[in-house]
Amino acid sequence: MALGASIFKANVNISNLNTHFYDSTSLTLAKHPSEGELRMMYRLCAFLYSSNFDISFTKGLSSTEEPEMWHISPTGEILEWIELGLPDIKRVRQACGKSSRVNVFTYHKNKTDEWFRKFEKEFLQLDKLSIIQISVDEENLLEDLAKRNMSIDCMIEDNTMYLSSDEARVNVSFKQLC
């Protein structure tokens, strides 16, 4: 019997000082059986950094045809395609062909530089593409935020996200690679 997704609920208060986006929302995150809580929290960080609640989570790891998140217009056009991790260049090119904008959020400290150097020339030719590296000094603090029912305050200023709950506080940095 296949394992089902674990459901996490997050009540989030967000203040993005960069884009002047302020909101409170309740999110439902489905954690795939093969996904750890840390990766799920990086996915939440990418969602919050995008600061647009028109973005929705997709089937993610359960589907090769969809990204982690996307923003689809009422007419069905993919306005924004958001990947998490280190997708291969073929997938990135396909995403650029299918959508108006592609954001790839990486979080692998030691692998990102090698991956980016390998495909840098091709990445720089894709004008719809942005690659953003997420880094956290203490990943265990980010993982500590992961609860079945979370209440998180999020403030974004410049290239830093400040996340806090009753259990933990963590600073998350975002670096634009291209």
Side-chain angles (χ1 to χ4, degrees), residues 145 151-155 162-170:
L145 289 174
S151 184
I152 297 175
D153 292 315
C154 171
M155 185 179 79
Y162 305 94
L163 296 174
S164 62
S165 71
D166 290 340
E167 292 81 24
R169 289 178 184 18
V170 63

Side-chain angles (χ1 to χ4, degrees), residues 42-95:
Y42 277 118
R43 188 160 39 101
L44 178 60
C45 288
F47 181 89
L48 295 173
Y49 191 77
S50 298
S51 291
N52 177 345
F53 291 141
D54 290 332
I55 292 172
S56 59
F57 292 108
T58 66
K59 294 178 184 174
L61 294 173
S62 299
S63 171
T64 58
E65 302 300 316
E66 296 178 356
E68 298 283 339
M69 295 160 261
W70 59 13
H71 177 191
I72 297 180
S73 74
T75 61
E77 177 188 4
I78 301 172
L79 301 175
E80 190 170 1
W81 178 290
I82 301 172
E83 289 283 344
L84 182 68
L86 305 170
D88 65 35
I89 188 65
K90 181 180 177 185
R91 183 165 174 87
V92 173
R93 272 195 242 105
Q94 288 173 342

Side-chain angles (χ1 to χ4, degrees), residues 8 11 19 49 60 110 159 165:
F8 287 73
N11 292 316
T19 62
Y49 191 77
N110 300 324
N159 296 317
S165 71

Side-chain angles (χ1 to χ4, degrees), residues 130-149:
S130 292
I131 299 177
I132 302 149
Q133 184 176 15
I134 305 172
S135 59
V136 179
D137 291 335
E138 298 181 56
E139 286 184 331
N140 61 321
L141 292 178
L142 184 59
E143 198 167 16
D144 287 348
L145 289 174
K147 305 285 183 224
R148 290 291 183 136
N149 290 297

Side-chain angles (χ1 to χ4, degrees), residues 9-29:
K9 302 277 186 176
N11 292 316
V12 181
N13 295 313
I14 184 167
S15 299
N16 188 328
L17 304 179
N18 297 337
T19 62
H20 304 289
F21 180 81
Y22 309 94
D23 203 355
S24 294
T25 191
S26 295
L27 301 171
T28 301
L29 293 100

